[in-house]
Coordinates of all heavy atoms in Angstrom, one line a residue:
M267 N 44.0 52.6 63.1 CA 44.1 51.4 62.3 C 42.7 50.9 61.9 O 42.5 50.7 60.7 CB 44.8 50.3 63.0 CG 45.1 49.1 62.1 SD 46.2 48.0 62.9 CE 45.1 46.7 63.3
I268 N 41.8 50.9 62.8 CA 40.4 50.5 62.5 C 39.7 51.5 61.6 O 39.0 51.2 60.7 CB 39.6 50.2 63.8 CG1 40.2 49.0 64.5 CG2 38.1 50.0 63.5 CD1 39.5 48.7 65.8
I269 N 40.0 52.8 61.9 CA 39.4 53.9 61.2 C 39.9 53.8 59.7 O 39.1 54.0 58.8 CB 39.7 55.2 61.8 CG1 39.0 55.3 63.2 CG2 39.3 56.4 60.9 CD1 39.3 56.6 64.0
T270 N 41.2 53.5 59.5 CA 41.7 53.4 58.2 C 41.1 52.3 57.4 O 40.7 52.4 56.2 CB 43.2 53.2 58.2 OG1 43.8 54.3 59.0 CG2 43.8 53.2 56.8
F271 N 40.9 51.2 58.1 CA 40.2 50.0 57.5 C 38.8 50.3 57.1 O 38.4 50.0 56.0 CB 40.3 48.8 58.4 CG 39.7 47.6 57.9 CD1 40.3 46.9 56.9 CD2 38.5 47.1 58.5 CE1 39.7 45.7 56.4 CE2 37.9 45.9 58.0 CZ 38.5 45.2 56.9
V272 N 38.1 50.9 58.0 CA 36.7 51.3 57.7 C 36.6 52.3 56.6 O 35.7 52.2 55.7 CB 36.0 51.8 59.0 CG1 34.6 52.4 58.7 CG2 35.9 50.7 60.0
T273 N 37.5 53.2 56.5 CA 37.5 54.2 55.5 C 37.8 53.6 54.1 O 37.1 53.9 53.1 CB 38.6 55.3 55.8 OG1 38.4 55.8 57.0 CG2 38.6 56.4 54.7
R274 N 38.7 52.6 54.1 CA 38.9 51.9 52.8 C 37.7 51.1 52.4 O 37.4 51.1 51.2 CB 40.1 51.0 53.0 CG 41.4 51.7 53.0 CD 42.6 50.8 53.1 NE 43.9 51.5 53.2 CZ 45.0 50.9 53.4 NH1 45.1 49.6 53.4 NH2 46.1 51.6 53.4
I275 N 37.0 50.5 53.3 CA 35.8 49.7 52.9 C 34.8 50.6 52.4 O 34.1 50.4 51.4 CB 35.3 48.9 54.1 CG1 36.3 47.8 54.5 CG2 33.9 48.4 53.9 CD1 35.9 47.0 55.7
I276 N 34.5 51.8 53.1 CA 33.5 52.7 52.6 C 33.9 53.3 51.2 O 33.0 53.4 50.4 CB 33.4 53.9 53.6 CG1 32.7 53.3 54.9 CG2 32.6 55.0 53.1 CD1 32.7 54.3 56.0
H277 N 35.2 53.6 51.0 CA 35.6 54.1 49.7 C 35.3 53.0 48.6 O 34.9 53.4 47.5 CB 37.1 54.4 49.8 CG 37.6 55.1 48.5 ND1 37.2 56.3 48.1 CD2 38.5 54.6 47.6 CE1 37.8 56.6 47.0 NE2 38.6 55.6 46.7
A278 N 35.6 51.8 48.9 CA 35.4 50.7 47.9 C 33.9 50.6 47.7 O 33.5 50.4 46.5 CB 36.0 49.4 48.5
L279 N 33.1 50.6 48.7 CA 31.6 50.5 48.5 C 31.1 51.7 47.6 O 30.2 51.5 46.8 CB 30.9 50.5 49.8 CG 31.1 49.1 50.6 CD1 30.4 49.2 52.0 CD2 30.6 48.0 49.8
V280 N 31.6 52.9 47.9 CA 31.2 54.1 47.1 C 31.6 53.9 45.6 O 30.8 54.2 44.7 CB 31.8 55.4 47.7 CG1 31.7 56.5 46.7 CG2 31.2 55.7 49.0
L281 N 32.8 53.4 45.4 CA 33.2 53.1 44.0 C 32.3 52.1 43.3 O 31.9 52.2 42.2 CB 34.6 52.7 43.9 CG 35.7 53.8 44.2 CD1 37.1 53.1 44.3 CD2 35.6 54.9 43.2
L282 N 32.0 51.0 44.1 CA 31.1 50.0 43.5 C 29.7 50.5 43.2 O 29.1 50.2 42.2 CB 31.0 48.8 44.4 CG 32.2 47.9 44.5 CD1 32.0 46.8 45.6 CD2 32.4 47.2 43.2
A283 N 29.2 51.3 44.1 CA 27.8 51.9 43.9 C 27.8 52.9 42.7 O 26.9 52.9 41.9 CB 27.4 52.7 45.2
T284 N 28.9 53.7 42.6 CA 29.0 54.6 41.4 C 29.1 53.8 40.1 O 28.4 54.2 39.2 CB 30.3 55.4 41.6 OG1 30.2 56.1 42.8 CG2 30.4 56.5 40.5
R285 N 29.9 52.7 40.1 CA 30.0 51.9 38.9 C 28.6 51.3 38.6 O 28.2 51.2 37.4 CB 31.0 50.9 39.1 CG 31.3 50.1 37.8 CD 32.5 49.1 38.0 NE 33.7 49.8 38.4 CZ 34.7 49.2 38.9 NH1 34.7 47.9 39.0 NH2 35.8 49.9 39.2
A286 N 27.9 50.8 39.6 CA 26.6 50.1 39.4 C 25.6 51.2 38.8 O 24.8 50.9 37.9 CB 26.1 49.5 40.6
A287 N 25.6 52.4 39.4 CA 24.7 53.4 38.9 C 25.0 53.8 37.4 O 24.1 54.0 36.6 CB 24.8 54.6 39.8
D288 N 26.3 53.9 37.1 CA 26.7 54.2 35.7 C 26.2 53.1 34.8 O 25.7 53.4 33.7 CB 28.2 54.3 35.6 CG 28.7 55.6 36.2 OD1 27.9 56.5 36.4 OD2 29.9 55.7 36.5
N289 N 26.4 51.8 35.2 CA 25.9 50.7 34.3 C 24.4 50.7 34.2 O 23.9 50.5 33.1 CB 26.4 49.4 34.9 CG 27.8 49.1 34.7 OD1 28.5 49.7 33.9 ND2 28.4 48.3 35.6
M290 N 23.7 51.0 35.2 CA 22.2 51.0 35.1 C 21.8 52.2 34.2 O 20.9 52.0 33.4 CB 21.6 51.2 36.5 CG 21.6 49.9 37.3 SD 20.6 50.0 38.8 CE 21.7 51.0 39.8
N291 N 22.4 53.3 34.3 CA 22.1 54.5 33.5 C 22.4 54.1 32.0 O 21.6 54.5 31.1 CB 22.8 55.7 33.9 CG 22.2 56.3 35.2 OD1 21.1 56.1 35.5 ND2 23.1 57.0 35.9
R292 N 23.5 53.5 31.8 CA 23.9 53.1 30.4 C 22.8 52.2 29.8 O 22.5 52.3 28.7 CB 25.3 52.5 30.4 CG 25.9 52.6 29.1 CD 27.4 52.2 29.2 NE 28.1 53.2 30.0 CZ 28.9 52.9 31.0 NH1 29.0 51.7 31.4 NH2 29.5 53.8 31.7
N293 N 22.4 51.2 30.6 CA 21.4 50.2 30.1 C 20.1 50.9 29.9 O 19.4 50.5 28.9 CB 21.2 49.1 31.2 CG 22.4 48.2 31.2 OD1 23.2 48.1 30.2 ND2 22.6 47.5 32.3
L294 N 19.7 51.9 30.7 CA 18.4 52.6 30.5 C 18.5 53.4 29.2 O 17.4 53.6 28.6 CB 18.1 53.5 31.7 CG 17.7 52.7 33.0 CD1 17.5 53.7 34.1 CD2 16.4 51.9 32.8
M295 N 19.6 53.9 28.8 CA 19.8 54.7 27.6 C 19.9 53.9 26.4 O 20.0 54.5 25.3 CB 21.0 55.7 27.8 CG 20.7 56.7 28.9 SD 22.2 57.7 29.2 CE 22.8 58.1 27.7
A296 N 20.0 52.6 26.5 CA 20.1 51.8 25.3 C 18.8 51.9 24.4 O 17.7 52.0 24.9 CB 20.3 50.3 25.6
P297 N 19.0 51.9 23.1 CA 17.8 52.1 22.2 C 16.9 50.9 22.4 O 17.3 49.7 22.5 CB 18.4 52.2 20.8 CG 19.7 51.6 20.9 CD 20.2 51.8 22.3
R298 N 15.6 51.1 22.3 CA 14.6 50.0 22.4 C 14.5 49.3 21.0 O 14.8 49.9 20.0 CB 13.3 50.6 22.8 CG 13.3 51.3 24.1 CD 11.9 51.7 24.5 NE 11.0 50.6 24.6 CZ 9.8 50.7 24.9 NH1 9.2 51.8 25.1 NH2 9.0 49.6 25.0
A299 N 14.1 48.1 21.1 CA 14.0 47.3 19.9 C 12.9 47.9 19.0 O 11.8 48.2 19.6 CB 13.7 45.8 20.2
P300 N 13.0 47.9 17.7 CA 11.9 48.4 16.9 C 10.7 47.5 17.0 O 10.8 46.3 17.2 CB 12.5 48.4 15.5 CG 13.9 47.9 15.6 CD 14.2 47.6 17.0
Q301 N 9.5 48.1 16.9 CA 8.3 47.3 17.1 C 8.2 46.2 16.1 O 7.7 45.1 16.4 CB 7.1 48.3 17.0 CG 5.8 47.6 17.5 CD 5.9 47.3 19.0 OE1 6.5 47.9 19.8 NE2 5.2 46.2 19.4
H302 N 8.6 46.4 14.8 CA 8.4 45.4 13.8 C 9.3 44.2 14.1 O 8.9 43.0 13.8 CB 8.7 45.9 12.4 CG 10.1 46.2 12.2 ND1 10.7 47.5 12.5 CD2 11.1 45.5 11.6 CE1 12.0 47.5 12.2 NE2 12.3 46.3 11.7
Y303 N 10.4 44.4 14.7 CA 11.3 43.3 15.1 C 10.6 42.4 16.2 O 10.6 41.2 16.1 CB 12.6 43.8 15.7 CG 13.5 42.7 16.3 CD1 14.2 41.9 15.4 CD2 13.6 42.5 17.6 CE1 15.0 40.9 16.0 CE2 14.4 41.6 18.2 CZ 15.1 40.7 17.3 OH 15.9 39.8 17.8
L304 N 9.9 43.1 17.1 CA 9.2 42.3 18.2 C 8.0 41.5 17.6 O 7.8 40.4 18.0 CB 8.7 43.3 19.3 CG 9.8 44.0 20.0 CD1 9.1 45.0 21.0 CD2 10.7 43.1 20.8
M305 N 7.4 42.1 16.6 CA 6.2 41.4 15.9 C 6.8 40.2 15.2 O 6.2 39.1 15.2 CB 5.5 42.4 15.0 CG 4.7 43.4 15.8 SD 3.9 44.6 14.8 CE 2.6 43.6 14.1
L306 N 7.9 40.4 14.5 CA 8.5 39.2 13.7 C 8.9 38.1 14.7 O 8.7 36.9 14.4 CB 9.7 39.7 12.9 CG 9.4 40.6 11.8 CD1 10.8 41.1 11.2 CD2 8.6 39.9 10.7
Q307 N 9.4 38.5 15.9 CA 9.8 37.5 16.8 C 8.6 36.7 17.3 O 8.6 35.5 17.5 CB 10.6 38.1 18.0 CG 11.9 38.6 17.6 CD 12.8 37.5 17.1 OE1 12.9 36.4 17.7 NE2 13.4 37.7 16.0
G308 N 7.5 37.5 17.6 CA 6.3 36.8 18.0 C 5.7 35.9 17.0 O 5.2 34.8 17.3
A309 N 5.7 36.3 15.7 CA 5.2 35.4 14.6 C 6.1 34.1 14.5 O 5.6 33.0 14.3 CB 5.2 36.2 13.3
A310 N 7.4 34.3 14.7 CA 8.3 33.1 14.6 C 8.0 32.2 15.8 O 8.0 30.9 15.6 CB 9.8 33.6 14.6
R311 N 7.7 32.7 16.9 CA 7.4 31.9 18.1 C 6.1 31.1 17.9 O 6.1 29.9 18.2 CB 7.4 32.8 19.3 CG 7.2 32.0 20.6 CD 7.3 32.9 21.9 NE 6.5 34.1 21.8 CZ 7.0 35.3 21.7 NH1 8.3 35.5 21.8 NH2 6.3 36.4 21.7
I312 N 5.1 31.8 17.3 CA 3.9 31.1 17.0 C 4.1 30.0 16.0 O 3.6 28.9 16.2 CB 2.8 32.1 16.6 CG1 2.4 33.0 17.7 CG2 1.6 31.4 16.0 CD1 1.6 34.2 17.3
R313 N 4.8 30.2 14.9 CA 5.1 29.2 13.9 C 5.8 28.0 14.5 O 5.5 26.9 14.2 CB 5.9 29.8 12.8 CG 5.0 30.6 11.8 CD 5.8 30.9 10.5 NE 7.1 31.5 10.7 CZ 7.2 32.8 10.8 NH1 6.2 33.7 10.6 NH2 8.4 33.3 10.9
R314 N 6.8 28.3 15.4 CA 7.6 27.2 16.0 C 6.7 26.4 16.9 O 6.7 25.2 16.9 CB 8.7 27.9 16.8 CG 9.7 26.9 17.3 CD 11.0 27.5 17.9 NE 10.7 28.7 18.8 CZ 11.0 29.9 18.5 NH1 11.6 30.3 17.4 NH2 10.7 30.9 19.3
H315 N 5.8 27.0 17.6 CA 4.8 26.3 18.5 C 3.9 25.4 17.7 O 3.6 24.3 18.0 CB 4.0 27.3 19.3 CG 3.0 26.6 20.2 ND1 3.4 25.8 21.3 CD2 1.7 26.6 20.1 CE1 2.2 25.4 21.9 NE2 1.2 25.8 21.2
Q316 N 3.4 26.0 16.5 CA 2.5 25.2 15.7 C 3.2 24.0 15.1 O 2.7 22.9 14.9 CB 1.9 26.1 14.6 CG 0.9 27.1 15.1 CD 0.5 28.1 14.0 OE1 1.2 28.3 13.0 NE2 -0.5 28.9 14.3
R317 N 4.5 24.2 14.7 CA 5.3 23.1 14.1 C 5.5 22.0 15.1 O 5.3 20.9 14.8 CB 6.6 23.7 13.6 CG 7.3 22.8 12.7 CD 8.5 23.5 12.0 NE 9.3 24.3 12.8 CZ 9.5 25.6 12.7 NH1 8.9 26.3 11.7 NH2 10.3 26.2 13.5
R318 N 5.8 22.4 16.4 CA 6.0 21.4 17.4 C 4.7 20.6 17.7 O 4.7 19.4 17.9 CB 6.5 22.0 18.7 CG 7.9 22.4 18.6 CD 8.4 23.0 19.9 NE 9.7 23.5 19.8 CZ 10.2 24.5 20.6 NH1 9.5 25.0 21.6 NH2 11.5 24.9 20.4
A319 N 3.6 21.3 17.7 CA 2.3 20.7 18.0 C 1.9 19.7 16.9 O 1.4 18.6 17.1 CB 1.2 21.8 18.1
S320 N 2.2 20.1 15.6 CA 1.9 19.2 14.5 C 2.8 18.0 14.5 O 2.4 16.9 14.2 CB 2.0 19.9 13.2 OG 3.3 20.3 12.9
D321 N 4.1 18.2 14.9 CA 5.0 17.0 15.0 C 4.5 16.1 16.1 O 4.7 14.8 15.9 CB 6.4 17.5 15.3 CG 7.1 18.2 14.2 OD1 6.5 18.1 13.0 OD2 8.1 18.9 14.4
E322 N 4.0 16.5 17.2 CA 3.6 15.7 18.3 C 2.3 14.9 17.8 O 2.1 13.7 18.3 CB 3.3 16.5 19.5 CG 4.5 17.0 20.2 CD 4.2 17.9 21.4 OE1 3.0 18.1 21.6 OE2 5.1 18.4 22.0
R323 N 1.5 15.5 17.0 CA 0.3 14.8 16.5 C 0.6 13.8 15.4 O -0.1 12.9 15.1 CB -0.7 15.8 16.0 CG -1.4 16.6 17.1 CD -2.6 17.3 16.6 NE -2.2 18.2 15.5 CZ -2.1 19.6 15.6 NH1 -2.3 20.1 16.8 NH2 -1.8 20.3 14.6
G324 N 1.8 13.9 14.8 CA 2.2 13.0 13.8 C 1.8 13.5 12.4 O 1.7 12.7 11.5
H325 N 1.5 14.7 12.2 CA 1.1 15.2 10.9 C 2.3 15.8 10.2 O 3.2 16.4 10.7 CB 0.0 16.3 11.0 CG -1.3 15.8 11.6 ND1 -1.7 16.0 12.8 CD2 -2.2 15.0 11.0 CE1 -2.9 15.4 13.0 NE2 -3.2 14.8 11.9

């Protein structure tokens, strides 16, 4: 009875580990964002920061 219980737990852990490994591999294979998109995001962040700074100064 204890051996059956332990076997079921081990089997469940193996399935979870397999699923986690598959998910990690799938995430690693996802295409990277294009470089121009990252540059556009950086420029938008800088503009947003400048806009907030000018609002705080009252300009």
Side-chain angles (χ1 to χ4, degrees):
M267 187 167 107
I268 292 176
I269 294 175
T270 305
F271 179 69
V272 171
T273 304
R274 287 182 181 178
I275 290 176
I276 290 173
H277 185 67
L279 290 176
V280 167
L281 289 175
L282 286 174
T284 305
R285 188 177 300 166
D288 288 343
N289 286 339
M290 285 190 287
N291 287 335
R292 202 169 295 125
N293 289 338
L294 289 175
M295 290 171 45
R298 298 183 64 184
Q301 193 63 32
H302 69 276
Y303 173 77
L304 297 176
M305 293 178 70
L306 290 173
Q307 290 299 310
R311 185 172 47 246
I312 291 170
R313 283 194 304 269
R314 189 167 48 246
H315 177 70
Q316 289 172 344
R317 194 168 47 241
R318 286 182 186 157
S320 66
D321 289 345
E322 289 175 0
R323 287 191 304 257
H325 293 106

